[in-house]
Amino acid sequence: MSSNMAKLPLMRNIVKRGLSSAAARALESDLPIESSVLANKVQVLSIESQSPIVRVSVQIKAGSRYETADNLGVSHVLRAACGLTTGSLSTFAITRLIQERGANLYAVNDRDSISYTLECNVQAIEPCLKVLHTVATEQVFKPWELSDNIPRLKYELALVPPQARVVDMLHGAAFRTGLGNSLFLPKYLLGSQGTETLQHFVHNTFLGNRTVVATSGITHNAAKVFADKLGYAEGTGLGTSSQYYGGELRKRGKGLAHIAIAAEGAGINKKEALAFGILQQALGTGAKVKYGANAGSPLAKAVADAAAGENASASALNVSHQDAGLFGVVITCEPKVAGQVTEAAVKSLRAGSVSEDAVKRGKAALKLAILSAAENPLAATEDIGQQALLTGSAHSASALVAAVDSVSSSDVNNAARKVASGKLSLAAIGNISNVPFLDQLK
């Protein structure tokens, strides 16, 4: 059993690369998605593959955006509490049952949701589903177990990479509250999230209208039976909408300079979301070949020229949440060139247009990313759940590829113009003495 650190949804589940021949095979094996809505409004989706491995993901709108000033960090603590004693099983029993059957149980949280995902052999499905059920529905949050879990939380906080931390800060600068809430428990609040706080948060978020159960490797009827046994009450619970404000957060430290700059993007439920995805790929998201120079990326070229031989890297950033998004760039560089590199990156963002060739290249890269991600059955199962949770419906990889093809160059350039004219947000950590302040960037 394991519990993953929060994943950054830089293009939500479109994060992997692969070969074009593998992408073609993904299209050929594009399996249909069955969907149902139970009486308590839990949405159930399934892919009936012939794989001997079963994957079941329970996804709930209980991310950090639903936190308030009174319970900041509760979603991080909730995710880290996966596997603690429940109403039916002790921590030891959960661990033993999962490990004896060679299964995996994951908990992942982001700003929009928390997911409990099970992977196991089809022959061990019955006992493993009982564990997933009790972990997702019968939490008790015993005070002494929460106290014993604090060293683990400290360890996780110490492992957060600076690139993830600076994007987290960028959200705080851009949205302030809601989507501006950090993914990570603030260090000064370690130990403050007790049993009552966690139970109250679960009571107001673990509800039928906020839940999706996504499966692969079992029948749709079996998926519905499991989802119905979760017993979540019907209800909408906590609601939040995040307004983009724009702002600046800086944290001085040692080492390299890490900078994130963004303007308002598009939520995953907006029609221009794919246009921003293409624009991200057109600007460049890093080298596609190990030790490659990211040839063809206008952003990488601008940053390399500005760095004048010093170490510097930049990647376009596209974050799509349910109702809002950010589009910009993440930079890591030597402190002495941070000023010119930041200005060069902002100039690329402010260009306001991309060429026809860049759009074609962006479309090809985005389609490859979609199809490569779809080759991973676990990623595909989690992806259809996220789609349904945040947009109300799920689409196959081939449908997403067709949607990418339907985006015109004018749509992509409209997205580029929105970024060019938008109010910027900035976050920076590390040795940032040479990083310009937001009001100094044009």
Side-chain angles (χ1 to χ4, degrees):
M1 182 180 66
S2 62
S3 184
N4 292 348
M5 280 301 291
K7 295 180 180 178
L8 286 173
L10 302 187
M11 182 52 192
R12 203 131 291 265
N13 296 293
I14 303 171
V15 295
K16 297 186 181 294
R17 299 194 297 269
L19 299 174
S20 57
S21 59
R25 290 197 298 273
L27 263 180
E28 294 169 1
S29 60
D30 211 9
L31 298 172
I33 301 169
E34 292 190 66
S35 176
S36 298
V37 178
L38 304 183
N40 61 351
K41 306 305 180 184
V42 172
Q43 191 168 359
V44 184
L45 301 103
S46 65
I47 303 172
E48 291 193 28
S49 71
Q50 300 302 312
S51 171
I53 305 300
V54 172
R55 298 165 180 91
V56 180
S57 182
V58 180
Q59 305 186 5
I60 305 151
K61 290 182 181 178
S64 62
R65 68 179 300 168
Y66 300 105
E67 297 170 359
T68 66
D70 296 326
N71 63 2
L72 287 177
V74 67
S75 64
H76 183 178
V77 179
L78 176 62
R79 194 265 309 145
C82 174
L84 297 185
T85 297
T86 68
S88 301
L89 296 172
S90 67
T91 301
F92 175 76
I94 292 171
T95 304
R96 184 188 63 189
L97 286 168
I98 290 296
Q99 292 186 347
E100 280 183 345
R101 289 157 178 81
N104 287 310
L105 180 62
Y106 302 91
V108 179
N109 72 302
D110 58 28
R111 284 182 161 77
D112 290 297
S113 65
I114 184 168
S115 304
Y116 299 95
T117 302
L118 169 73
E119 278 189 303
C120 68
N121 191 286
V122 67
Q123 296 176 340
I125 184 64
E126 186 174 346
C128 289
L129 280 181
K130 289 181 179 178
V131 175
L132 178 60
H133 176 275
T134 189
V135 165
T137 64
E138 299 179 337
Q139 305 96 331
V140 294
F141 306 119
K142 292 184 176 181
W144 54 91
E145 289 191 335
L146 294 177
S147 179
D148 291 343
N149 214 32
I150 290 176
R152 174 184 178 174
L153 290 168
K154 290 181 179 180
Y155 179 71
E156 289 183 349
L157 291 174
L159 288 180
V160 178
Q163 291 84 356
R165 184 69 72 182
V166 77
V167 173
D168 190 65
M169 290 170 58
L170 181 67
H171 279 78
F175 297 107
R176 301 180 185 173
T177 59
L179 286 174
N181 292 339
S182 176
L183 282 172
F184 312 108
L185 174 70
K187 290 183 180 179
Y188 68 89
L189 291 177
L190 276 165
S192 65
Q193 308 294 4
T195 302
E196 185 176 350
T197 300
L198 287 160
Q199 291 285 17
H200 185 266
F201 186 72
V202 168
H203 177 75
N204 287 284
T205 54
F206 284 45
L207 300 168
N209 302 58
R210 307 168 66 92
T211 302
V212 168
V213 175
T215 71
S216 65
I218 59 174
T219 66
H220 189 63
N221 284 336
K224 289 196 295 182
V225 169
F226 169 76
D228 190 52
K229 287 182 178 179
L230 292 175
Y232 291 145
E234 182 179 352
T236 55
L238 301 175
T240 180
S241 59
S242 288
Q243 179 180 345
Y244 180 88
Y245 294 97
E248 180 174 12
L249 289 174
R250 303 165 74 96
K251 185 176 181 180
R252 293 186 180 275
K254 298 185 293 184
L256 298 173
H258 304 277
I259 309 111
I261 307 164
E264 186 175 10
I268 199 170
N269 59 355
K270 303 292 179 59
K271 63 180 182 180
E272 64 264 40
L274 282 177
F276 276 99
I278 295 169
L279 179 61
Q280 178 195 22
Q281 299 292 334
L283 287 179
T285 58
K288 305 299 183 184
V289 179
K290 190 174 183 180
Y291 306 124
N294 200 11
S297 165
L299 176 62
K301 184 179 186 305
V303 166
D305 291 344
E310 297 291 339
N311 293 325
S313 65
S315 175
L317 170 74
N318 181 42
V319 186
S320 293
H321 300 289
Q322 181 176 2
D323 56 348
L326 293 173
F327 189 93
V329 60
V330 179
I331 304 164
T332 297
C333 64
E334 295 288 346
K336 61 182 178 181
V337 296
Q340 54 262 44
V341 166
T342 301
E343 290 173 356
V346 170
K347 186 176 180 180
S348 294
L349 286 179
R350 294 299 202 190
S353 64
V354 289
S355 67
E356 185 69 29
D357 287 342
V359 172
K360 291 179 180 178
R361 186 176 64 251
K363 282 187 174 183
L366 183 57
K367 290 189 289 185
L368 176 59
I370 292 171
L371 294 170
S372 298
E375 289 183 321
N376 183 329
L378 177 60
T381 304
E382 292 178 328
D383 180 70
I384 63 171
Q386 283 289 298
Q387 288 186 54
L389 191 69
L390 302 181
T391 69
S393 60
H395 303 282
S396 65
S398 59
L400 292 175
V401 166
V404 170
D405 282 327
S406 70
V407 178
S408 66
S409 296
S410 62
D411 293 332
V412 179
N413 279 290
N414 285 339
R417 282 190 287 272
K418 180 178 178 180
V419 173
S421 61
K423 184 178 181 180
L424 291 179
S425 296
L426 182 147
I429 58 175
N431 188 341
I432 57 174
S433 55
N434 293 320
V435 176
F437 287 88
L438 190 59
D439 59 4
Q440 295 174 312
L441 296 172
K442 304 299 183 182

